[in-house]
Amino acid sequence: MKTEKVVDHIVSWLTDYCDKAKMKGFVVGVSGGIDSAVTSTLCAKTGRPVWALNLPILQDPAQVSLAARHIAWLTGRFDNVRTETVDLSNVLASLQDALPDAVGDTRTLANTRSRLRMISLYAFASHYSLLVAGTGNKIEDFGVGFYTKYGDGGVDISPIADLVKTEVYETARHLGVIQKILDVPPTDGLWPDNRTDESQIGATYPELEWAMAFDATGEDPSLLSARRQEVLAIYRRFHRANRHKMDPIPVCQIPNDLR
């Protein structure tokens, strides 16, 4: 990948889109992970106003600290970046108390965390006339659908959604993102036990990148190694289960003879 030219292309695309939308700038939720670090940096490079938000919800202190370190790095290099920490832990606790016990299971609350962050991002976006910049990469957004519908999937624009995860890392190194973020295992930060993406999916991002590329070829997988067949099965299972996130919302079309 021609990383420098890719960075220039994305920054130009962001700038043009912002201007055509007649918006002032961008808001990004910063998690302490690689995707949000790259996205927020690319937005900052446009020169438009950027709000980098740290939105902890009963978060591991290490994740909160890492997000804060990236934001400090970002604000130290770009005068157009402003920041705010909005702790949503009490909001989640209040909602959990209001919901019946039957719908307050761990998975539901994990997705609710993501949706509460989306609401907060749009609160800033609405007030300051900003675009919500998504942080999903190509594998998450179009491969395995590893995101929350109307949570971190609820965005206005997706600057890095055509970059696979290894390209995101390459971009991060080019941008000078702090080494700790490059080193930390990817996680969505939505679970009490801080489980990693790999432990949830059952495959690494490089493996998923291979599976996504192989699946597009239509080739016979029967001659693949046992591990590659396993990874391909994992990829296909997630892709099928999460198609509803990637496809447009189904619309019931009314026949003309019924109008």
Side-chain angles (χ1 to χ4, degrees):
M1 185 176 74
K2 299 175 181 177
T3 310
E4 185 172 356
K5 290 186 176 181
V6 168
V7 166
D8 291 343
H9 176 80
I10 295 174
V11 171
S12 177
W13 179 86
L14 283 165
T15 304
D16 290 346
Y17 191 97
C18 185
D19 291 347
K20 289 176 181 177
K22 300 187 184 307
M23 302 297 276
K24 294 179 179 177
F26 310 92
V27 58
V28 187
V30 176
S31 66
I34 193 75
D35 295 322
S36 66
V38 168
T39 300
S40 56
T41 307
L42 291 169
C43 288
K45 286 178 72 66
T46 66
R48 303 299 190 268
V50 175
W51 276 89
L53 303 185
N54 194 349
L55 303 170
I57 307 179
L58 302 174
Q59 217 71 25
D60 184 324
Q63 293 175 0
V64 179
S65 175
L66 201 52
R69 284 183 60 185
H70 172 70
I71 290 171
W73 176 87
L74 200 62
T75 55
R77 284 159 178 76
F78 298 95
D79 294 336
N80 55 316
V81 177
R82 300 179 67 183
T83 184
E84 191 75 53
T85 296
V86 182
D87 194 325
L88 298 169
S89 300
N90 289 337
V91 180
L92 179 66
S94 296
L95 181 59
Q96 188 174 5
D97 288 341
L99 291 171
D101 291 342
V103 298
D105 61 277
T106 304
R107 179 172 295 278
T108 297
L109 291 176
N111 286 322
T112 300
R113 287 192 192 197
S114 184
R115 292 178 179 127
L116 288 175
R117 291 190 177 114
M118 180 274 292
I119 292 170
S120 302
L121 290 169
Y122 272 100
F124 276 77
S126 176
H127 183 75
Y128 292 109
S129 298
L130 307 172
L131 295 164
V132 176
T135 61
N137 60 68
K138 188 172 185 176
I139 298 299
E140 292 171 335
D141 284 6
F142 302 113
V144 292
F146 193 65
Y147 59 89
T148 298
K149 198 172 187 177
Y150 305 120
D152 50 333
V155 301
D156 294 316
I157 52 174
S158 295
I160 64 169
D162 199 32
L163 299 179
V164 295
K165 195 77 167 186
T166 52
E167 291 173 328
V168 174
Y169 276 97
E170 186 177 338
T171 304
R173 286 188 286 269
H174 175 80
L175 293 171
V177 169
I178 60 177
Q179 189 62 42
K180 183 66 174 176
I181 290 177
L182 291 165
D183 293 339
V184 70
T187 176
D188 57 18
L190 299 178
W191 302 86
D193 60 3
N194 300 320
R195 63 191 69 174
T196 64
D197 292 355
E198 182 180 347
S199 68
Q200 293 185 66
I201 298 171
T204 66
Y205 278 105
E207 286 180 321
L208 293 171
E209 290 173 25
W210 166 83
M212 189 174 185
F214 181 87
D215 202 41
T217 67
E219 294 179 13
D220 182 3
S222 62
L223 297 179
L224 296 173
S225 68
R227 176 55 184 169
R228 286 206 157 180
Q229 290 190 43
E230 180 185 14
V231 169
L232 187 62
I234 290 170
Y235 171 82
R236 288 175 170 175
R237 184 173 71 250
F238 273 90
H239 188 79
R240 284 193 302 268
N242 291 326
R243 281 299 328 173
H244 68 97
K245 302 181 188 179
M246 306 176 228
D247 290 339
I249 297 171
V251 175
C252 178
Q253 299 290 334
I254 308 300
N256 290 333
D257 61 350
L258 297 182
R259 293 190 179 276

